[in-house]
Structures are given as C-alpha cells and as structure tokens.
Amino acid sequence: MTAPTDQHDSADLNRDRDLQAALRRLDETEQAARDRLFEFLRIESISTDPAYHHHCLEAAEWSAAQLRDIGFEASVRPTEGKPMVLAHWRPTDGEPKPHVLFYGHYDVQPADPLEEWDTPPFEPRLAEHPVHDEVITARGASDDKGQVMTFIEACRAYIETSGSLPVAVTVLLEGEEESASPSLGPFLAEAGDELKADIALVCDTNQWDGGTPAVTAFLRGLAFSEVTITGPARDLHSGLYGGPVRNPIEVLCGMLGELRAPNGRIAIPGFYDGVSEPSQEQRDEWQSLGFDEAGFLAEIGLVEPAGEDGYSLLEQLWARPTVEINGIHGGYTGVGTKTVIPSQASAKISFRLVPGQDPQQVITGFHQFIDQRLPRDARAHFNGEGGAPAVGFDMSSAPFQAAAQALQDEWDIAPVRLGCGASIPIVESFRNALGMDALLIGFALPDDRIHAPNEKYNLKSFVKGTRSWARILSAFAGMSDDA
Amino acid sequence: MTAPTDQHDSADLNRDRDLQAALRRLDETEQAARDRLFEFLRIESISTDPAYHHHCLEAAEWSAAQLRDIGFEASVRPTEGKPMVLAHWRPTDGEPKPHVLFYGHYDVQPADPLEEWDTPPFEPRLAEHPVHDEVITARGASDDKGQVMTFIEACRAYIETSGSLPVAVTVLLEGEEESASPSLGPFLAEAGDELKADIALVCDTNQWDGGTPAVTAFLRGLAFSEVTITGPARDLHSGLYGGPVRNPIEVLCGMLGELRAPNGRIAIPGFYDGVSEPSQEQRDEWQSLGFDEAGFLAEIGLVEPAGEDGYSLLEQLWARPTVEINGIHGGYTGVGTKTVIPSQASAKISFRLVPGQDPQQVITGFHQFIDQRLPRDARAHFNGEGGAPAVGFDMSSAPFQAAAQALQDEWDIAPVRLGCGASIPIVESFRNALGMDALLIGFALPDDRIHAPNEKYNLKSFVKGTRSWARILSAFAGMSDDA
C-alpha cells in the first residue's frame, strides 16, 4: 500500500491518538479489568480431570461472552474434547489491515496438593510479594488466564475508546493445553481458513525479569526414539548363564555411556551437520543479561554447569542441541534382588535440536550410532520415533521489529530476545497446519510457580501486559502503513 | 576306630551282602516304588500360592508317614510358614556309625500355564520320550519329589532287607524351597542340634547326562548391591534444562558401560584378588566332556560365547566370577514419550564369585569403582547389599571319594565333577548354621523342564538314583570302617 505523505502522517497521528486513548482507558479501568480476571480465575477449569468438565465449558462460555461483549463475533466450537473459543473482530471501515491471530488457553492445571496453598486456589486475591510488590495469586493466574486477559483487555480499551481495533483480530482460546491438546490438530485442519492470519500472537511465555519484557525468538526442536536391545531369547538365571552370555542391559549402558564425548559433544554421526554457532552479537546480548547461573543451578540442587565445553549455560539451553536419556528400563526393578539376565533392555532418548538440524537425519544418525556398537548376538529395535525441527524467528522481520519497539516504548527497555530450550507445540502447529509464523510474547516470570501451589502473576505484568498489547496492535497497524 | 583285619574283612563282606540285598529289593519292588512316587506327585503342594496351603500340609504328612512306615522317628514340625518334616533313623546295634543328613523339599512350583501341559500336571504318568526312553511327567517329578524318593526308597529297601541302615540318617524335607525358604533359617537355629550330622546329602541337582552321574563340586558365590545415582534435586523438563544439567541416567550408563574391559575382564579394583585359575586337570576333565557350547547357546537364541577371553563356556560358568546388571531403572518408562531429566537412576548389580573372593571386599571394590567415576553434582547411594562366598568342595575328602566310587559302581562311569554357576542357599545354610559340609548329588537333567510345563524325570534317573543312594550309604559305612 502506498500513501501520500500527508495522509501517512495523518494516519500516524490518528493511530497515536487512538493508542493514547486506549492506554488512558486501561489506566482508568484497571480495577474493573482486575475484577474480570478474578471472575475468570474463579472458574475451576481443570482440563485433565473429567470431574471438572462442566467448569471447562463454563470457562469457554465466559470467555466467549467477554469477547462478544466488546464486539467480537464469538462462538464456542465443540470438539471431541474441550471446546475451542473462536472470535473475530473485522474492521468496519473497509480499510485493509494486518490480521493477527491471538492464541491462549482457558484451561488450568489441577490445584493439588491443596494443603500447600496459602489461600484457596480458585479464590483469587492480591497478595504482597517480597520481590514483586503486589501479585495476583490463583491457579491459572499466570498460566494462562492472566496472560489471555492482558490481550482481551487491550482490545476492550481500544474498542471502548475508538470504537475499533487498529488491526483485524481473531482470537483462539484452547481448553486442552494442559492435557496435550488432542483436539487442536483436528480443529486446525477443520477451521484453518477461519484461523489463517498474517501472524500469530502467542501469549503463554515469560518476560525476562519483573521490569524487562522479552520476545521468545528461538525454540529448540525435538527428535525422539526408543531403542530396545535384545540379547538372549528369554530371561535367564544369572547364576546358570552369567559370564558367557552378553547382558543386554550392559550392552545398552555401554552404548549410551558413549553418547557424549568428555568435552560434552554428542558423538552421533552427522549430529552437528547444519548447526550454526550463535552470532557474536547474540552471545554478547545474552552475556550482558548477567544471568545468575549459580542461582539457576542451586534451585535444582546443583553446583556447576555440565554439558558442552565453551558455551554458557544460556547458550547451551537456547542455542545448542543436546541428547537426553529420558528413561531406561531393563530386568528386575522391584524390591530386593532377582538374579536375572534379562532378554531385553530399552531406553527412551530425545534430542533437543537447533535450527539447521533435521529431526529425521538426527534419528538416522542415532540408528547408525547404535548399530555401529552392536555386538554379535544383540539386536536393536527402534520405535516411538518422531520429532519437529527447531524454530528460529527472523528478528529482522517487520512484525518482530514493530513488537520489539512497542515493548520498549512501554517498559523503557528493549525486550530481551530469549531462547526457549523446549518446543512450544502451538508454534509448530501454526507453522505446519496454517503456514503461519508466530510471535511469542508473554509477561509471566520464572518464579510464577505455574503448575505448582501458590501460582501467582505479578500485578505489574498484568497491567503493563495490557498496555503492551495495545501498543503492539497499534505498531502492527503502523507497520502496515509503512509497508 | 581301629579293628583287626579279620573283623574288617568280615564287616566288608556283611556290608556288601546287605547292599546286594537292598539292590535286589529295589529291582523287585520298582513298580511299588513308582506307585509311591506317583501318590506323592498327586499332592498339589504348591508353596507359593496360599490357596494350596492344605496340599502342602498333606505333602508334609504324607512324607512323614512314609518315613515312619519304614522305621524312622518322623515328625511334622510347624514353622511360621510351611512345616518341616524331620525324621531320624538311629542305629539299633549300638555301633558308632557316620551320620548323614539328607535334604530335599516336598513343595513344588505352580503349574501354570496349564494349557501348555500335554497331560494334567498333578496326574503323573509314564510317557515315551524321544531321547530318554520312559520318563515320569508331573509337576515336581524332577524338582524335587522324584529326587527325594530316590533316597527314601533306598532306605526302605535297606531296612526291609537288613532291618537296618548302614549309617545313621536324619531326613529334613522343606516345604518352602520354591518360595525362598523363609522358615529355614529360624528352623536351623532352633533345631540345629537335632540336624547336625557328619555330612549333608543334598539331592536337588543334576547328573551330567542320561548315562553319566555327577557330583556338584563348585558353587559360585554371590554379592549384590543396588546403586542409585542422584543428580538434580527433582525431575526436570528436558527442554528447559537439557544441556547444562548432568543426566543421572547417562552418568549411570557411563559407569556401568565400563564394568567390563573389552577382553571381558571386570574392571573393579581388587575384583580378582584371591581368584585361582582352574587346575589344568580340571580344565582337561571339563574339556573332555565334549560340552555342546553351540547347542547351549542356540537354546537361548545366541550364536557365540561372550564374556572373558581365554576361558571355555563351562569354565566361565563354573570357575570364573562375573558381574551382571540384573535391573536398571530411571526416568519415564511408560508408553510414549516424556521429555524428563530424572533426578535419579538406579541399577541392581550382582556378582557371581569363585573361591577366594570375599563378597564384602567385592562390594567395597564396586563402591570404589562407582565413586572414582562420580562426576561433581552426582551422588551415589548403595543399598540392598549382601552376599555369600563361593563353595569349593574338597574333592580329596573321604565322603567325596566314597560317593564318587559308589556312583561309578552303579553307572559304570566316573561321575563328572560339575560346577554350578549359581549358589545353592541350603549349602550355605548348612555351612553357616551347622558348620556342616554338603555333598550335592542329584539325578535331574537340564532338559527336565523344571518350573515349566511338562516337567519330567527320567525313569532311569529314578531307578538308578535309588540304587545309587543305596551304594553311597554303604560306601559311607565302609569309609567309617577304613577311618
């Protein structure tokens, strides 16, 4: 779209006026927004426990009603499991606008152990926090109801002040995020056309610290396999056969003990093919964060970083691939002793991948690694394999740059470009099913105790989260004008 | 005891006359002996299943009645579990005689899977066998009722012909051999004085093949430990922590993969201290057996012997120590994937020992082996430890020599001096509780399918087994005369 400069300037002015109005509205109605969030938090929408099914339905209806209330066309769509909430706000002025898809989830984790909560998990309240001033405590406060409401409240403030949103918005709220999203794939396949937007905004991640926003820019990929080593045709008495018979547990241990070289490099053929070093700029940025490695390790009872030589802890987590043995099993594992040489032993292995690695090639390399070490009279069998490549967002893209500037405007500090060591399935789903990139912006904190007793969400995260989304929506509209 | 030569000759003549009468009696009453064994086999004395408790009591009473019938002073002694049958035959002529303690067990393994039996497990019958001519099929035929009756029938024939036994005999029949003998220790402690004899005769082992008897002369010992490696303080998400955090499964695998050097030697400090090489004579004897290594391995689905370089398969099983990982467990082992870095991983390890090795020293060496390889931030914890030394019988002892000659007289071939890769707990119990050595002579065969469907005992083993015991009892009496 090309526009004469004066119209451009005038559009900019209008956009800024609308934004300032929305921000003022957010400040003035903060208490009402908080009340709405508390209403949402009182619904016990635990998706993993069938006893709470009707609470999940209630949460879906409640969110749809919220969206309808501010002018979205909202519906609760049945699935085989918990319903999806799908809502659209379409521009009324006929102007073409960027279209964003906002994603969040209305379901929460179970609250037990209940006795470890200081106050009941579904009775939200404001509490003083030793580090973060005021926090909202309740199950789901951070994961993900508080984060969902940052976005919906931004839309409400915009519509209530300007009668309109600066971009076209679709909202998708899922009710099974905490139970592995079984209905998401089928729903994306079925409703894909309705969901397709220019970019997805996923609000289920962290900021860097209480005063610093973040955009998650790297997600490691995953490849996984289960290897079973078979030796003798049946379990044997270790007295009557021990010595001349190769023990499959020992064979398996011998192999897995060689997965990593002493310097921490992974010894699988071709494993590092296509892997790039993090850029010096990126390394410097992460270095400058002053990440507390000792504190991170102390929290899990450890003292020193292990892993690959020559990389900081954050670099290892965000920009380097790894292999993990997630489970191993063989022989007798009950109480006491049983002197058996088992016929089989197996291990579940997974790889965290970085951009450039192909999950299938990694699995093929793992097969080679095992096969090369397989002694005579032992066989290897692989199953349960799969994976997804890593995601590295293009940080020079217009949406990334626009969102980063908007966050800086709100927080007075540039957002940190975080990595995330884990994959986020929704990002892959949007990529694979809808061919759509995502921006991962959230206001949670590592100490929010998600999935644990006394979950909290900083009040500041909530308040500035709503304001951040208002700014990002405005910035996206500007990005369109500049395009 | 010193005796003039003429008395000595006359005692020899009398002893031989009595033996020949007993042997004739065994031949003439073979059918009746077989009928008695079948009666015994019809009792469903499964000790592992409480539903069969009264059958176990019945089997105990039946055996006591058998012994009483031929003149033993027999009683059924209650324990916390199944009762012991204890019976004594004391010489009536006042002559001091060697005293033997015979050990067997009246309990049997469960019979399931029932559908795999060709005929019902508790309806004994004679069947044609492709290799062994006639065999007795029933649960317990070989393990251990058939073997128990070889001894009792020998005593019966002796007493029915000479009115006496050539040695003093105590019989101990246990009812919990198939369920780990929980009452044996307490009973040995309580009734030790009644049980103490010059030597124990344990009839629960194999002959070499259908035509060759054997004495089991080596029993490997056992040492066991369970090691648990602890890394992080709790289970971690492998995406969020994988890389810089040491995975305890990987640590454990790395250690256990080094237990054995490429030449099969065990890499634990001091492991071979005190271990002697088998004598050249013993190696030659075993070599001359023409053991079918390929057949042994084929039966368990394997092709080539593994283990320690430079030792035959039998040497490895009978005269070399080994280490086995009996079980390993860590992380997620259910269906599908769970990308966890577990806090702990553990393995159950056992060692088969040979004479000269001290179980406690082996366990201490294992601790050193683990501790030397323990990286920072990992801890090792050991529990469930114990063991018993190996047993090597003195093959030059008078009872060993006497029994070997008696077996050769019956079978027309010298008995093979077998090793047994496994420990036989009763031997250790007799050694430790009563300070008494044991002779392990049995007539079972490796293809008797003990603990499996269609268990059998060769009719020839039964018949020549009864005759063998008659000869051994006589030989022990002669040994006394020569002493």
Side-chain angles (χ1 to χ4, degrees):
Chain A
M1 186 169 82
T2 337
T5 304
D6 58 339
Q7 282 186 23
H8 188 182
D9 288 349
S10 133
D12 275 353
L13 287 173
N14 289 346
R15 212 177 57 243
D16 191 55
R17 182 201 61 212
D18 291 352
L19 171 62
Q20 295 308 324
L23 293 174
R24 269 197 309 279
R25 178 76 180 173
L26 285 169
D27 293 343
E28 289 158 9
T29 60
E30 189 196 311
Q31 179 63 49
R34 205 190 292 173
D35 290 346
R36 284 186 286 267
L37 171 57
F38 277 30
E39 256 186 56
F40 197 14
L41 291 171
R42 281 188 199 100
I43 305 172
E44 306 180 19
S45 49
I46 301 167
S47 62
T48 56
D49 184 342
Y52 292 81
H53 183 68
H54 66 288
H55 295 294
C56 291
L57 301 185
E58 184 190 350
E61 292 294 349
W62 186 92
S63 344
Q66 283 290 311
L67 288 157
R68 223 173 275 127
D69 185 46
I70 57 177
F72 277 67
E73 196 181 282
S75 56
V76 174
R77 305 286 182 94
T79 71
E80 294 283 310
K82 312 298 180 212
M84 300 283 172
V85 175
L86 186 57
H88 301 288
W89 189 89
R90 298 195 173 88
T92 47
D93 59 7
E95 286 285 317
K97 291 188 162 70
H99 181 189
V100 301
L101 169 66
F102 177 85
Y103 166 88
H105 59 95
Y106 64 77
D107 65 322
V108 301
Q109 278 277 317
D112 47 278
L114 286 176
E115 64 277 14
E116 292 185 19
W117 285 79
D118 295 334
T119 56
F122 295 103
E123 295 178 17
R125 60 179 199 116
L126 273 189
E128 287 298 321
H129 188 281
V131 178
H132 298 296
D133 297 332
E134 282 188 304
V135 300
I136 300 162
T137 64
R139 168 57 82 232
S142 173
D143 181 20
D144 183 42
K145 287 173 174 172
Q147 306 237 55
V148 164
M149 292 307 282
T150 56
F151 186 80
I152 294 179
E153 291 297 338
C155 291
R156 174 184 290 272
Y158 245 111
I159 294 170
E160 288 181 354
T161 48
S162 316
S164 172
L165 290 174
V167 293
V169 175
T170 295
V171 172
L172 172 66
L173 303 181
E174 186 191 357
E176 295 175 332
E177 200 273 345
E178 302 296 0
S179 29
S181 303
S183 306
L184 189 70
F187 187 75
L188 292 186
E190 175 199 315
D193 286 349
E194 253 189 282
L195 296 168
K196 185 83 177 74
D198 297 312
I199 195 158
L201 304 174
V202 173
C203 189
D204 199 14
T205 52
N206 285 1
Q207 48 187 88
W208 173 247
D209 62 29
T212 314
V215 183
T216 300
F218 308 93
L219 299 174
R220 287 197 292 190
L222 186 66
F224 48 91
S225 177
E226 180 168 357
V227 57
T228 300
I229 302 295
T230 303
R234 55 184 164 82
D235 287 3
L236 302 174
H237 186 299
S238 76
L240 303 180
Y241 289 90
V245 169
R246 221 181 279 283
N247 183 322
I249 302 179
E250 193 181 315
V251 171
L252 181 63
C253 286
M255 293 166 157
L256 299 185
E258 293 180 359
L259 275 172
R260 217 182 278 270
N263 65 359
R265 296 273 291 186
I266 289 150
I268 289 173
F271 186 74
Y272 292 95
D273 288 358
V275 174
S276 312
E277 294 293 316
S279 71
Q280 192 56 48
E281 180 212 353
Q282 187 62 74
R283 296 184 80 156
D284 291 345
E285 180 182 331
W286 289 339
Q287 189 62 41
S288 73
L289 293 175
F291 177 68
D292 177 13
E293 294 199 352
F296 176 89
L297 291 170
E299 195 272 319
I300 53 174
L302 302 178
V303 171
E304 70 174 8
E308 205 178 350
D309 289 354
Y311 295 92
S312 74
L313 197 149
L314 284 187
E315 285 165 7
Q316 285 200 62
L317 286 178
W318 295 348
R320 296 300 294 171
T322 186
V323 58
E324 297 299 337
I325 309 169
N326 302 121
I328 190 164
H329 179 82
Y332 179 71
T333 57
V335 173
T337 61
K338 183 177 173 184
T339 49
V340 65
I341 299 174
S343 172
Q344 294 194 326
S346 63
K348 294 179 194 278
I349 311 289
S350 66
F351 302 91
R352 296 289 167 178
L353 309 179
V354 298
Q357 288 181 297
D358 171 37
Q360 187 50 56
Q361 192 189 320
V362 166
I363 288 173
T364 303
F366 177 60
H367 291 193
Q368 283 172 19
F369 173 89
I370 294 292
D371 291 343
Q372 284 165 359
R373 286 162 177 77
L374 206 55
R376 197 166 170 197
D377 275 346
R379 281 158 295 133
H381 172 72
F382 301 90
N383 62 7
E385 301 189 323
V391 175
F393 296 105
D394 175 6
M395 288 177 280
S396 67
S397 73
F400 195 102
Q401 294 287 333
Q405 185 59 53
L407 287 167
Q408 180 161 359
D409 291 346
E410 175 59 28
W411 296 81
D412 294 324
I413 183 169
V416 173
R417 296 174 294 178
L418 293 183
C420 175
S423 53
I424 298 184
I426 189 71
V427 175
E428 289 151 29
S429 300
F430 287 157
R431 281 214 161 177
N432 296 338
L434 308 178
M436 186 169 55
D437 255 336
L439 266 177
L440 305 175
I441 296 170
F443 307 96
L445 281 170
D447 67 1
D448 275 354
R449 305 183 56 84
I450 66 167
H451 297 207
N454 299 317
E455 178 175 349
K456 64 91 176 157
Y457 195 46
N458 286 8
L459 181 60
K460 182 173 175 184
S461 290
F462 180 62
V463 171
K464 290 184 83 68
T466 62
R467 293 175 53 94
S468 296
W469 283 122
R471 290 186 188 274
I472 291 168
L473 294 180
S474 176
F476 281 172
M479 172 185 87
S480 166
D481 286 353
D482 296 339
Chain B
M1 187 171 79
T2 335
T5 304
D6 58 339
Q7 282 187 23
H8 189 184
D9 287 349
S10 135
D12 276 354
L13 286 174
N14 289 347
R15 212 177 60 243
D16 190 56
R17 184 200 62 210
D18 291 352
L19 171 61
Q20 295 308 324
L23 293 175
R24 268 196 310 279
R25 178 75 179 174
L26 285 169
D27 292 344
E28 288 159 9
T29 59
E30 188 197 312
Q31 181 62 51
R34 204 190 293 172
D35 290 346
R36 284 185 286 267
L37 172 57
F38 278 30
E39 257 187 53
F40 197 15
L41 291 171
R42 282 190 198 98
I43 306 172
E44 306 181 18
S45 48
I46 301 167
S47 62
T48 56
D49 185 343
Y52 291 82
H53 184 67
H54 65 288
H55 295 294
C56 292
L57 300 185
E58 185 190 348
E61 292 294 348
W62 186 93
S63 344
Q66 282 289 313
L67 288 158
R68 225 173 272 129
D69 185 45
I70 58 176
F72 278 68
E73 195 180 283
S75 56
V76 173
R77 304 286 181 93
T79 71
E80 293 284 310
K82 312 299 180 209
M84 300 284 171
V85 175
L86 186 57
H88 301 288
W89 190 90
R90 296 192 174 91
T92 47
D93 57 9
E95 287 285 319
K97 290 188 163 70
H99 180 190
V100 301
L101 169 67
F102 177 86
Y103 167 88
H105 62 93
Y106 65 77
D107 65 323
V108 300
Q109 279 276 318
D112 46 280
L114 285 177
E115 62 279 11
E116 291 185 20
W117 286 79
D118 296 334
T119 55
F122 294 104
E123 294 178 17
R125 62 179 197 113
L126 274 187
E128 287 299 320
H129 188 281
V131 178
H132 297 298
D133 299 331
E134 282 187 306
V135 300
I136 299 161
T137 63
R139 168 58 79 234
S142 173
D143 182 19
D144 185 43
K145 288 173 174 173
Q147 306 238 54
V148 164
M149 291 307 283
T150 57
F151 186 81
I152 294 179
E153 290 297 337
C155 292
R156 175 184 288 274
Y158 244 111
I159 294 170
E160 286 182 353
T161 49
S162 317
S164 172
L165 290 174
V167 294
V169 176
T170 295
V171 172
L172 172 66
L173 303 181
E174 186 191 358
E176 295 175 332
E177 200 275 343
E178 303 296 359
S179 28
S181 303
S183 307
L184 189 70
F187 187 74
L188 293 186
E190 173 198 316
D193 288 346
E194 252 188 284
L195 295 167
K196 184 85 175 75
D198 297 311
I199 195 160
L201 304 175
V202 174
C203 190
D204 199 14
T205 52
N206 285 359
Q207 50 187 90
W208 172 247
D209 63 29
T212 313
V215 183
T216 299
F218 308 93
L219 299 175
R220 287 197 292 190
L222 186 67
F224 49 90
S225 177
E226 179 167 358
V227 57
T228 299
I229 303 295
T230 304
R234 54 183 165 84
D235 287 4
L236 302 174
H237 187 298
S238 75
L240 302 180
Y241 289 90
V245 169
R246 220 181 280 283
N247 183 322
I249 303 180
E250 194 182 316
V251 171
L252 181 63
C253 285
M255 292 166 159
L256 299 185
E258 294 181 359
L259 275 173
R260 217 184 278 271
N263 66 359
R265 296 274 291 188
I266 290 151
I268 289 173
F271 185 74
Y272 291 97
D273 289 358
V275 174
S276 311
E277 294 293 315
S279 72
Q280 192 57 47
E281 181 211 352
Q282 187 62 73
R283 294 185 81 155
D284 291 346
E285 179 182 331
W286 289 340
Q287 188 63 39
S288 73
L289 294 174
F291 178 67
D292 177 13
E293 293 198 352
F296 175 88
L297 291 170
E299 195 271 320
I300 53 174
L302 302 178
V303 171
E304 69 175 10
E308 204 178 351
D309 289 354
Y311 296 93
S312 73
L313 197 149
L314 284 187
E315 286 164 9
Q316 284 199 60
L317 285 178
W318 294 348
R320 296 300 295 172
T322 186
V323 59
E324 298 299 337
I325 309 169
N326 302 120
I328 191 165
H329 179 82
Y332 179 71
T333 57
V335 173
T337 60
K338 183 177 174 184
T339 49
V340 64
I341 298 175
S343 171
Q344 294 194 326
S346 62
K348 292 178 194 280
I349 311 290
S350 66
F351 302 91
R352 295 289 169 177
L353 309 180
V354 297
Q357 286 180 298
D358 171 37
Q360 187 50 55
Q361 191 188 321
V362 166
I363 288 173
T364 303
F366 177 61
H367 291 193
Q368 284 173 17
F369 174 89
I370 294 292
D371 291 342
Q372 284 165 0
R373 286 161 178 79
L374 206 56
R376 195 164 170 197
D377 275 345
R379 280 159 295 133
H381 172 72
F382 301 91
N383 63 8
E385 301 189 321
V391 175
F393 296 105
D394 175 6
M395 288 177 279
S396 66
S397 73
F400 196 101
Q401 294 287 332
Q405 185 59 53
L407 287 167
Q408 179 161 0
D409 291 346
E410 175 60 27
W411 296 80
D412 293 326
I413 183 169
V416 172
R417 294 175 295 179
L418 294 183
C420 175
S423 53
I424 299 185
I426 187 71
V427 175
E428 289 151 29
S429 300
F430 287 157
R431 279 213 162 179
N432 297 337
L434 307 179
M436 185 169 55
D437 255 335
L439 265 178
L440 304 173
I441 297 171
F443 306 96
L445 282 169
D447 66 1
D448 275 355
R449 304 182 56 83
I450 67 167
H451 297 207
N454 299 315
E455 178 175 350
K456 64 90 177 161
Y457 194 47
N458 286 9
L459 183 59
K460 184 174 173 181
S461 291
F462 179 61
V463 170
K464 290 182 84 67
T466 62
R467 292 175 54 94
S468 297
W469 284 122
R471 289 184 190 274
I472 291 168
L473 294 180
S474 176
F476 281 172
M479 174 186 85
S480 167
D481 287 353
D482 297 341

